[in-house]
Amino acid sequence: MTTAFQGAATSVALNDHHRSQIHTFHGLRPAYASSLTRNAFTLPSPARSFSLIRAVSTSGKPETATEKRSKVEIFKEQSNFIRYPLNEDLLTDSPNINEAATQLIKFHGSYQQYNRDERGTRSYSFMLRTKNPCGKVPNQLYLTMDDLADQFGIGTLRLTTRQTFQLHGVLKKNLKTVMSTIIHNMGSTLGACGDLNRNVLAPAAPILRKDYLFAQQTAENIAALLTPQSGFYYDIWVDGEKFVTSEPPEVVQARNDNSHGTNFPDSPEPIYGTQFLPRKFKIAVTVPTDNSVDILTNDIGVVVVTDDDGEPQGFNIYVGGGMGRTHRLETTFPRLAEPLGYVPKEDILYAVKAIVVTQRENGRRDDRKYSRMKYLISSWGIEKFRSAVEQYYGKKFEPFRKLPEWEFKSYLGWHEQGDGSLFYGLHVDNGRIGGKMKKTLREIIEKYNLNVRITPNQNIILTDIRAAWKRPITTTLAQVGLLQPRFVDPLNLTAMACPAFPLCPLAITEAERGIPDILKRIRTMFEKVGLKYNESVVVRVTGCPNGCARPYMAELGLVGDGPNSYQIWLGGNKNQTSLAQSFMDKVKVHDLEKVLEPLFYYWKQKRQSKESFGEFTARIGFEKLKEYVEKWEGPVVAPTRHNLRLFADKETYEAMDGLAKLQNKTAHQLAMEVIRNFVASNQNGKSE
């Protein structure tokens, strides 16, 4: 929650250049043990056994001695609420941590990784992920993350598909320094990973409208409700230092309420207990029509419902979405969320808590491949699931209210906030901020004291901009490749990829490093079959089937299924309301043209009026599409090509070439984009 650290943050001074204060530590201090003692827990050691406080839910299922549980469940139970053995392993000189600690550090917001490009000895490092409900990033926190990336990371920041930062390449010996610095500068990584509620999404746009503000406040309240309470995070990283939080009273009341048997009595974790949830849990909140958050891919989707005057009255709730799956295991699958019901606005925290508890008590804990809530709902059916949730909610859900059609909103470009200020949405390829772009973006954010929002599409929004700043900000950012959307290839605007190689241990093939070339090849295919420049498809690439970039919602999803090969998924739509289906397996990256070129050609030739690529592939059917691929011999008529001499002098060419290289393009490609966009904007009467 963004308000949780404001009291502490005011005590952190920035120097004359407003660089973030970074505290240096030399290992965990002995005071760490006493901080746990104050919390009435005994630190276990490998040499002795220890007893744990076992929380027992008043309404939970009785545990049996023969109940099968995964290894991670044992780690959680024996961890003294996510402390041991991580606390001891961090004291060792080794560059890595053991298996149990590797699982536990996820709850603290970090993954252990190693460089898979290297052969021989593994070079271990850690990825840190922040927790930013609604994608809100205060100015001070942005500058802090920028500093940490340079001083302790690999020099880049990454914007994630859940509106957070990822900081790669942190060494074990620097973990405490980095973590404590984030905490002292209005940030947190608590619960950004692990078997608990992850970052809560909401529209990133700072629009001062009642429904948007209410959605964002609700997202922050849900994040606060489901934040761990046992103090393990602060014990490990800031020696048990307490941070004053400013939680709304309704959040505290909902968390403590046990009138329907939701809580573990007398437990440091009243909602999570010793075992937390069976797997990760994802929630998004939005307003009608705004599907910037991919609402149907979440375990819980919450939609503000207003009256005719725009006053929020309550919420529609979806349940059961999720992307992860396992190759060649058809019992695992991506799934869209489905309607659960409607609740009045004062009940939303109780309803969300009831859903979480239903999953906590009934989700599978024996096989983590099937532990997400989508499998519970798929097994039970929505009626049985709704009935179980209502037992913890204490009342019946009202009927789902009718909603208008969903629409994907990117919020790129310049927009009015509603208070006289502007916000500027910037497209960032794959969310990776580095090099000159990172340096210039920092200078702008620092100079104008701007706050930041991260979008679920890996982009960044600069907020609270005065009208007089618009031109200098636009010009400065364009010089490092952060262009207004009309100057960015339409394919890039909606494309996403996960990090994959070299650091993700789950990656099977390339994603972030491979997508720039894939998009350029798709653009070439478009030109070859005669598709116009302003036409596009939603492309998402992941290095494995876990689906972090949500490829199963794409019009064209590429999912790594072997070295340099992808499984191709087709049939999603631009508004992110339709699930794609697996079309073809084991397509080598160098063979993509053989599959995609005929699909694009027949889309152009046989589509209905304004039919998108995803809609076309869903309508035609995979049997016919495979026939197109098998019989493909090239387009009937090659498109007309014009060899235009675009540059009259060497200086102009070199300037354009320098800018083009920032976007991984040629000078000719960039010049043609600028010309096409200029012509199109004039034709549409939109030239500035």
Side-chain angles (χ1 to χ4, degrees):
M1 55 195 155
T2 57
T3 58
F5 308 103
Q6 289 174 352
T10 58
S11 65
V12 180
L14 301 179
N15 66 20
D16 293 340
H17 298 287
H18 301 285
R19 307 296 288 188
S20 306
Q21 181 178 348
I22 297 181
H23 303 266
T24 302
F25 293 92
H26 303 283
L28 290 165
R29 297 202 299 263
Y32 171 68
S34 62
S35 72
L36 283 184
T37 305
R38 290 196 298 273
N39 287 328
F41 290 104
T42 302
L43 265 179
S45 69
R48 67 174 189 272
S49 62
F50 60 94
S51 60
L52 285 166
I53 298 175
R54 284 303 304 268
V56 180
S57 172
T58 55
S59 58
K61 298 177 295 184
E63 184 178 340
T64 63
T66 58
E67 184 179 356
K68 183 182 178 183
R69 295 185 297 166
S70 71
K71 185 185 295 186
V72 176
E73 291 297 311
I74 305 300
F75 291 154
K76 288 187 288 186
E77 182 180 47
Q78 296 179 349
S79 70
N80 198 8
F81 292 98
I82 318 300
R83 294 177 173 89
Y84 173 82
L86 175 62
N87 58 308
E88 294 188 351
D89 228 18
L90 289 172
L91 292 170
T92 67
D93 293 330
S94 65
N96 62 312
I97 55 179
N98 66 30
E99 183 182 8
T102 298
Q103 293 298 326
L104 298 181
I105 202 170
K106 296 177 184 179
F107 291 77
H108 296 257
S110 179
Y111 283 89
Q112 179 171 264
Q113 301 179 331
Y114 63 92
N115 190 337
R116 297 177 65 187
D117 283 344
E118 296 180 355
R119 296 293 178 263
T121 304
R122 289 183 175 181
S123 298
Y124 286 99
S125 65
F126 291 80
M127 179 270 282
L128 272 62
R129 183 184 297 149
T130 58
K131 197 92 171 278
N132 307 92
C134 317
K136 291 183 178 181
V137 182
N139 177 273
Q140 180 177 329
L141 178 59
Y142 184 91
L143 300 180
T144 297
M145 297 303 297
D146 183 85
D147 288 340
L148 292 173
D150 289 340
Q151 297 182 41
F152 299 103
I154 60 174
T156 67
L157 284 172
R158 198 168 198 280
L159 314 177
T160 78
T161 58
R162 291 203 71 80
Q163 299 184 276
T164 66
F165 287 116
Q166 283 186 180
L167 183 63
H168 291 96
V170 179
L171 299 180
K172 175 183 166 182
K173 65 181 181 180
N174 296 325
L175 270 174
K176 190 169 184 182
T177 297
V178 175
M179 287 284 203
S180 62
T181 301
I182 292 172
I183 294 170
H184 283 96
N185 285 276
M186 304 176 71
S188 176
T189 65
L190 172 59
C193 322
D195 299 343
L196 71 177
N197 178 55
R198 302 289 183 87
N199 197 53
V200 181
L201 304 188
I207 299 173
L208 296 179
R209 208 173 78 187
K210 290 179 181 178
D211 54 349
Y212 274 88
L213 294 174
F214 193 60
Q216 291 160 357
Q217 182 60 58
T218 300
E220 291 178 318
N221 286 351
I222 291 172
L225 172 74
L226 299 176
T227 294
Q229 299 295 300
S230 54
F232 62 82
Y233 180 67
Y234 302 102
D235 285 341
I236 295 286
W237 307 113
V238 289
D239 300 319
E241 183 180 349
K242 303 301 181 183
F243 285 81
V244 178
T245 61
S246 53
E247 292 182 331
E250 59 266 29
V251 171
V252 178
Q253 182 177 337
R255 181 190 297 123
N256 294 335
D257 180 78
N258 196 31
S259 55
H260 301 290
T262 54
N263 288 18
F264 293 98
D266 303 318
S267 171
E269 292 290 354
I271 295 177
Y272 290 127
T274 59
Q275 302 305 109
F276 287 76
L277 297 179
R279 277 295 301 275
K280 59 186 175 183
F281 200 89
K282 298 181 177 180
I283 301 175
V285 185
T286 192
V287 302
T289 75
D290 189 335
N291 198 21
S292 60
V293 298
D294 268 8
I295 189 75
L296 301 180
T297 66
N298 289 270
D299 291 88
I300 302 177
V302 178
V303 186
V304 176
V305 176
T306 63
D307 61 18
D308 294 338
D309 296 324
E311 288 289 341
Q313 300 298 306
F315 299 91
N316 276 344
I317 299 178
Y318 293 95
V319 291
M323 292 285 96
R325 47 176 286 276
T326 302
H327 280 317
R328 290 167 287 283
L329 193 61
E330 298 305 315
T331 49
T332 66
F333 45 81
R335 188 180 192 275
L336 295 185
E338 57 186 304
L340 180 70
Y342 170 90
V343 298
K345 60 184 181 182
E346 60 271 14
D347 285 354
I348 186 61
L349 297 180
Y350 297 90
V352 166
K353 182 181 175 183
I355 297 167
V356 170
V357 170
T358 301
Q359 162 67 354
R360 182 196 75 196
E361 293 297 306
N362 299 282
R364 288 183 59 171
R365 294 181 182 268
D366 60 327
D367 189 336
R368 291 176 65 81
K369 290 191 299 293
Y370 303 101
S371 293
R372 291 290 297 278
M373 193 173 76
K374 64 181 178 180
Y375 295 114
L376 176 64
I377 296 176
S378 181
S379 172
W380 278 8
I382 192 64
E383 296 301 330
K384 179 178 179 180
F385 182 81
R386 182 184 294 113
S387 178
V389 173
E390 287 172 344
Q391 298 300 310
Y392 293 119
Y393 177 37
K395 59 179 76 174
K396 297 284 187 181
F397 286 100
E398 297 180 33
F400 202 77
R401 303 296 197 258
K402 185 176 181 180
L403 293 172
E405 292 294 317
W406 290 108
E407 177 185 349
F408 169 73
K409 297 180 185 293
S410 70
Y411 295 111
L412 296 176
W414 287 99
H415 304 270
E416 294 184 358
Q417 290 183 180
D419 60 353
S421 297
L422 305 172
F423 70 88
Y424 189 22
L426 292 163
H427 169 73
V428 180
D429 280 337
N430 306 311
R432 181 70 67 179
I433 299 176
K436 292 181 180 178
M437 177 198 301
K438 177 174 172 293
K439 180 176 182 293
T440 303
L441 193 56
R442 184 212 169 86
E443 290 171 354
I444 291 290
I445 291 169
E446 192 169 28
K447 177 179 179 179
Y448 296 101
N449 195 31
L450 303 179
N451 294 315
V452 167
R453 305 277 181 96
I454 302 171
T455 81
N457 255 51
Q458 302 175 303
N459 296 320
I460 194 166
I461 293 175
L462 307 181
T463 72
D464 309 307
I465 301 172
R466 297 179 187 175
W469 302 341
K470 179 179 178 180
R471 183 177 295 276
I473 287 176
T474 303
T475 302
T476 302
L477 292 175
Q479 291 171 350
V480 293
L482 288 168
L483 305 174
Q484 295 190 62
R486 68 176 183 271
F487 299 128
V488 179
D489 189 320
L491 285 168
N492 291 63
L493 287 177
T494 55
M496 289 202 297
C498 69
F501 286 124
L503 294 175
C504 179
L506 302 177
I508 301 171
T509 193
E510 298 284 1
E512 181 183 343
R513 296 194 302 195
I515 195 173
D517 182 63
I518 289 172
L519 293 176
K520 285 195 293 185
R521 290 164 62 188
I522 291 174
R523 175 55 64 197
T524 300
M525 288 182 241
F526 272 30
E527 293 174 352
K528 184 175 180 180
V529 303
L531 285 164
K532 295 179 180 178
Y533 178 79
N534 61 359
E535 296 190 89
S536 183
V537 298
V538 177
V539 180
R540 293 178 176 176
V541 183
T542 60
C544 83
N546 284 300
C548 291
R550 303 190 288 272
Y552 310 117
M553 303 298 289
E555 293 184 281
L556 171 58
L558 303 180
V559 180
D561 66 352
N564 298 311
S565 79
Y566 296 94
Q567 189 178 66
I568 295 179
W569 288 65
L570 301 173
N573 62 39
K574 292 182 181 296
N575 294 329
Q576 309 302 298
T577 57
S578 177
L579 196 64
Q581 301 295 323
S582 176
F583 174 64
M584 197 172 288
D585 294 336
K586 297 290 183 181
V587 177
K588 289 295 184 180
V589 66
H590 58 261
D591 289 332
L592 286 176
E593 281 81 358
K594 295 178 182 178
V595 177
L596 300 183
E597 193 174 287
L599 299 181
F600 295 146
Y601 175 77
Y602 284 106
W603 171 43
K604 180 181 184 297
Q605 298 296 322
K606 297 179 180 294
R607 62 185 168 184
Q608 297 175 350
S609 177
K610 297 182 179 180
E611 187 175 43
S612 71
F613 179 71
E615 293 166 339
F616 167 77
T617 57
R619 177 176 62 84
I620 294 296
F622 285 4
E623 184 176 343
K624 190 67 175 178
L625 293 176
K626 288 181 179 178
E627 184 180 318
Y628 291 157
V629 173
E630 291 167 2
K631 296 182 177 180
W632 179 245
E633 295 181 354
V636 176
V637 179
T640 302
R641 301 186 67 87
H642 302 282
N643 293 317
L644 301 177
R645 185 175 180 182
L646 296 174
F647 304 103
D649 60 87
K650 182 180 179 182
E651 289 76 18
T652 303
Y653 169 79
E654 289 178 345
M656 185 66 76
D657 186 55
L659 181 58
K661 286 178 179 177
L662 294 171
Q663 302 176 56
N664 199 22
K665 300 172 184 174
T666 66
H668 187 277
Q669 287 174 323
L670 182 58
M672 289 302 298
E673 287 180 20
V674 172
I675 292 170
R676 285 171 179 146
N677 281 291
F678 178 77
V679 173
S681 63
N682 275 282
Q683 288 173 341
N684 296 329
K686 296 178 180 178
S687 62
E688 293 184 355

